[in-house]
Amino acid sequence: MHRFFFGGGVCHEIKTASLEGKVVLITGATNGSLGGATAKIFQELKATIVVTATAEERAVASANEVGGEGHALNLMDDESIHEFVDWFSERYERLDILVNNAGIHLDLLSQWKKPHLSDKGIELMWHTNYLGTFLLTQLLLPKLEAAGDIAGEARVVNVVSELHRWGDKSKLLNILKTGGSYEDGYNSWKAYAQSKLAVVMFTNELNRLEAAKGKKVIANSLHPGPVKTNVAGKGLKGNKMILMIRDTMSCIETFFLKTPEEGAQTSVYCSISKDLDGVGGKYFKDCKALKASKHAYDLDVAKSMYEETLKLVLK
């Protein structure tokens, strides 16, 4: 009975849909993760599946679970992104569904006093969650547009978080230009929120631009809900006592949190639902559309962010 209250929305079209002949890419799809559960549902729908993980062996292991192909992809490494897109492009003429599931949420106890940086000197969560996702999507647009021409529509599904509501649109351009400089002091939760607000705004602007070009590519973002995966473990890394307490209380955590399969429902809904044919630039939770943060609808900031990010990642 408790799953009725905590399981969240259900994508009922899973029972009748078929994705045979369609190519689906899910990033961050390791075994036991939200992305891995999403890939397994697509397997049931007979899709041609491609999955990624930061390590090649983990990507291949996950792919073997769903009868697809796997390849390494590090969203903090432009070279890795370009190499992956080259690999994908050699194998597939089209991409029908792109699920940008990969992302990180680190320092859950807010112990970091300053940003932790990638090899490029960019704040880790901003680099992975926003810049890497933006570049990957941009490079795959020709494949998405090809699928739209062939099948009538392609979809970009960006997994974000309700925490995007903590983000502030007025700070986004400065973060973009500085690589993660926070004028009012660094807080890892706010940094995560800014990265996810940026993705919501990117999603909306991408959808607008594709429609303006007459392309049949729609883009939506979603919050999967609180899901029991290894994300929290990574975010608590280095805090042995907290991890020990979490392990002890795991039965309670399991009771209240969604399973990966339950968390994947909204990602799948945004990917396959006929209710969303031609519907983009929306934000979803529990398989229902709802209003995102008011900051997410500032068209001027979204346009500026898109243009400036494009210059940055493609220079």
Side-chain angles (χ1 to χ4, degrees), residues 22 26-27 33 44 89 91 99 132 150 157 181 235 272:
K22 294 197 173 185
I26 310 103
T27 65
S33 71
E44 295 171 7
S89 298
R91 285 162 173 75
V99 182
I150 295 168
V157 178
S181 175
I272 71 171

Side-chain angles (χ1 to χ4, degrees), residues 13 18 46 144-145 159 211 229 259-260 270 292 297 310:
E13 290 180 57
S18 173
K46 297 181 171 57
L144 287 158
E145 291 173 350
V159 179
T229 65
T259 66
C270 290
Y297 299 107
L310 199 58

Side-chain angles (χ1 to χ4, degrees), residues 6-73:
F6 301 112
V10 176
C11 178
H12 296 290
E13 290 180 57
I14 290 173
K15 297 177 181 178
T16 57
S18 173
L19 295 180
E20 193 165 4
K22 294 197 173 185
V23 180
V24 182
L25 167 60
I26 310 103
T27 65
T30 53
N31 293 329
S33 71
L34 178 65
T38 305
K40 287 182 179 179
I41 295 174
F42 285 129
Q43 179 191 28
E44 295 171 7
L45 301 180
K46 297 181 171 57
T48 298
I49 301 169
V50 180
V51 296
T52 76
T54 52
E56 182 74 16
E57 60 271 19
R58 294 174 69 202
V60 171
S62 182
N64 289 339
E65 286 284 320
V66 295
E69 285 198 281
H71 197 281
L73 173 65

Side-chain angles (χ1 to χ4, degrees), residues 220-235:
N220 288 300
S221 56
L222 68 100
H223 171 59
V227 183
K228 183 175 172 56
T229 65
N230 60 0
V231 171
K234 292 179 180 178

Side-chain angles (χ1 to χ4, degrees), residues 27 73-82 84-85 98 100 102-103 118 122-140 158 176 195 199 202 309 312-313:
T27 65
L73 173 65
N74 181 352
L75 291 175
M76 278 190 283
D77 184 342
D78 290 359
E79 185 176 331
S80 173
I81 297 172
H82 280 276
F84 170 78
V85 172
L98 168 61
N100 282 313
S118 68
I122 300 170
E123 196 273 337
L124 293 176
M125 290 181 283
W126 181 258
H127 200 165
T128 300
N129 298 345
Y130 176 59
L131 292 180
T133 296
F134 184 104
L135 176 58
L136 176 67
T137 305
Q138 198 66 38
L139 294 176
L140 288 171
N158 289 332
L176 179 66
S195 73
V199 175
F202 158 56
T309 306
L312 178 67
V313 300

Side-chain angles (χ1 to χ4, degrees), residues 206-220:
L206 173 65
N207 187 77
R208 187 190 70 79
L209 290 171
E210 288 298 293
K213 290 194 298 183
K215 298 297 183 180
K216 297 176 181 178
V217 178
I218 66 168
N220 288 300

